[in-house]
Amino acid sequence: MQDKHIVTSFDNDLERIQAHIMKMGGLVEASISDAADSFLLRDVELAEKVRARDASIDELETLINDDAARVLALRAPTAIDLRLILSVIKVSANLERIGDYSKNMAKRTSVLLQMREIDNAASSLRRLAKEVELMLKDALDAYIQRDPQRALEVINKDKDVDQMYNGMFRQFLTFMMEDPRNITACMHLHFIAKNIERMGDHVTSIAEQVVFLTTGERPLEQREKEDRTSHDVNMSLDPKTET
Amino acid sequence: MLDTTVDNMIEEKPKIIARDVKVVYGDKEALRDVSLDVMDKTVTAFIGPSGCGKSTFLRCFNRMNDTIANCRVSGSLIYDGQEISAHDPVTLRARIGMVFQKPNPFPKSIYDNVAYGPRIHGLSKNKADLDGIVEKALRRGALWDEVKDRLHETGTGLSGGQQQRLCIARAIATEPEVLLMDEPCSALDPIATAQIEELINELKQSYSVVIVTHSMQQAARVSQKTAFFHLGNLVEYNDTGDIFTKPSDPRTESYITGRIG
Ligand SMILES: Nc1ncnc2c1ncn2[C@@H]1O[C@H](COP(=O)(O)OP(=O)(O)O)[C@@H](O)[C@H]1O
Ligand SMILES: [Mg+2]
């Protein structure tokens, strides 16, 4: 893919950092998947696993940042090497956030066990999570293969996630209006849906880093949110609409 | 690459306009059809592997290649609206000064080193005038405070870094418009290097500075424009920030990232 550096230890440094990114990415993918499953299967043990895994994800982020700082200080990277270092710092931060959202989702599993079940909610949430997990997998593949085209496809898919989220938002609203006893459960479910939607934004940011890494340019168009309805209503309901 | 070069040509004022410059030593081609504009009040860095023609190109600007027997320069180099080959070489070298890799003060006093150029070009009316020129040049050369009490000691007794700043003061004593520097820091320690780099940054307020350097970090630190040469070709010429973050030619990329190209 890329010629080797004359100084081999420089290549080793860069490979080590990227290996950590891939490892972190693998853990985060597993967390999304387990969090969604724990939810659907009402599996508290699986949820606990997600929580425990988050510590390893955080550790990897620290490791990656330390390594990136060392390379900046000691190797004075330029061009593709510089863009690689800038991108790993950003990508690791995105992965860490996605990990956090998964943990948050898993935490709500035990809470929701004590509440009345809402039709279809768990399976729609799992579908949404699955979609984000697939996007993440594609984004990481694009990253490792240095494939900006594939990254752009991921960026485009974020619209679908937003749309799915908007649909669920309306559904939860309907349930709450139909029967006030649904409110507590629906509020929790909505937080989860919102968190998954935010995960999608972080995946998109990773895909944008792939474009920057490979081309030196930022993806020009900022995507217009297709459906702003829930976003607008949201402001009054979700205390952390835009994080 | 061509596009950005053209952009750069129109947005600022060029000091030297080089077009299709070709240089041969005997029958050996050292530089092939190089076109580039050296901008005013800008530091331009020439980088590239040894033997790629950086010094050869730099020497075209003040007709130093004329002094090399088998060297032939063709193409066009315009300075001040006129072909460089049509300028008188002595006057030209007063207006386009040069600083070399190894500090080379004359074996004379610090004062005489700096006064040399103004004297031969008749730039001073009297002794007081000349004193003023020497002081101003040494101040601009960031050396005045260190030598003001020993102006009549010999220049070769200074430290390497001081000698190089003396050579810079000597070069700017004739009020040149362009300052050419061929690896001016390669014989200096990091502190002396930092002092020269700081000086270069000051000098660009008044002059156009062209620096050949084998240190890419130095090019990145001091220049606004960077030209990358490879095997006698100008491969890429662009804003320094762009060259070091997103070079457009794979040969530039390989070179600046330290890869085997
Ligand atoms: N005086 C000379 N006589 C013959 N060949 C020369 C002379 N000076 C330079 N060259 C050749 O011209 C090419 C460019 O040299 P130079 O401009 O010194 O490169 P750089 O400064 O980039 O290291 C090299 O191949 C070098 O061997
Ligand atoms: Mg040279």
Side-chain angles (χ1 to χ4, degrees), chain B residues 120-196:
Chain B
I120 62 165
H121 293 289
L123 299 181
S124 62
K125 292 185 281 290
N126 51 46
K127 173 80 169 79
D129 203 19
L130 188 60
D131 287 352
I133 292 176
V134 170
E135 174 173 343
K136 189 172 162 204
L138 283 168
R139 281 191 189 281
R140 277 188 165 170
L143 192 60
W144 175 252
D145 290 337
E146 289 158 64
V147 302
K148 61 172 186 277
D149 300 321
R150 45 173 171 149
L151 289 176
H152 297 286
E153 287 172 27
T154 159
T156 46
L158 297 170
S159 74
Q162 288 173 326
Q163 287 188 21
Q164 195 60 303
R165 278 178 281 149
L166 177 61
C167 293
I168 294 172
R170 184 178 66 192
I172 58 186
T174 55
E175 298 282 339
E177 295 193 293
V178 181
L179 197 57
L180 310 176
M181 304 178 127
D182 196 343
E183 302 193 11
C185 300
S186 53
L188 305 183
D189 67 45
I191 299 292
T193 298
Q195 287 166 334
I196 301 283

Side-chain angles (χ1 to χ4, degrees), chain A residues 2-6 76 78-83 216-217, chain B residues 217 243-247 253-254 256-261:
Chain A
Q2 188 100 47
D3 283 324
K4 296 269 177 233
H5 285 94
I6 298 165
T78 53
I80 180 77
D81 301 331
L82 175 63
R83 300 202 303 271
E217 310 287 340
Chain B
Q217 287 315 308
I243 293 274
F244 285 93
T245 53
K246 42 174 185 176
E253 173 113 14
S254 288
I256 64 167
T257 60
R259 288 183 163 85
I260 306 158

